[in-house]
Amino acid sequence: MSDHIRITSAIQGFRRAGIAHSTKPTTHAVADFSKQQLAQLEAEPRLVVEIVKAPETDSGDNSQGTVDSARLAELVAHIGSLNKEDVSLWREDGTPKASAYPKGTSSEERDAAWAAFTAELDKA
């Protein structure tokens, strides 16, 4: 089995296996999920789950839905540092506003960072 899967959701923010999924293809390491979570993902009709080769991180090309792991870790840490009481940083649904992220953060990076952040919370 490959060490990565690419997940595309029919519904933006649809949650399964502990994370919110994007309508844009997003690549994840298989190791990020338990066997039970992988079975949930593959059985979910609202998700397209594809086995893919490891994403190339040295090209700087995120066209296949990947975010550099160092950048992702930086953004996840940033989310964790946000003041939970500051309503100017958070939307009503509990997700950070785009303006709460560092300048220049793309929507793909925000989606991936939020998914990774919530996945960490689900593991705790």
Side-chain angles (χ1 to χ4, degrees):
M1 181 154 109
S2 175
D3 58 342
H4 286 80
I5 57 173
R6 183 171 38 234
I7 302 171
T8 309
S9 177
I11 303 165
Q12 181 65 30
F14 178 76
R15 293 185 62 82
R16 187 61 72 229
I19 63 172
H21 299 281
S22 175
T23 54
K24 295 181 181 177
T26 305
T27 302
H28 303 273
V30 169
D32 290 346
F33 301 99
S34 69
K35 288 182 181 183
Q36 181 182 13
Q37 288 173 319
L38 288 169
Q40 288 176 338
L41 292 170
E42 291 173 349
E44 178 54 58
R46 293 174 191 94
L47 299 175
V48 174
V49 179
E50 305 168 273
I51 308 271
V52 296
K53 293 181 182 179
E56 295 181 21
T57 56
D58 60 339
S59 69
D61 177 15
N62 290 337
S63 62
Q64 291 188 1
T66 61
V67 175
D68 177 78
S69 60
R71 174 70 170 158
L72 185 60
E74 172 190 320
L75 292 172
V76 168
H78 177 77
I79 294 170
S81 72
L82 294 174
N83 181 347
K84 292 169 183 45
E85 304 300 320
D86 187 347
V87 295
S88 69
L89 300 175
W90 301 92
R91 291 189 269 178
E92 287 184 20
D93 67 357
T95 60
K97 292 182 177 179
S99 60
Y101 289 90
K103 186 176 182 177
T105 304
S106 71
S107 61
E108 179 182 15
E109 290 172 323
R110 289 191 306 267
D111 290 346
W114 182 247
F117 180 79
T118 57
E120 285 182 12
L121 292 177
D122 288 342
K123 289 180 184 178

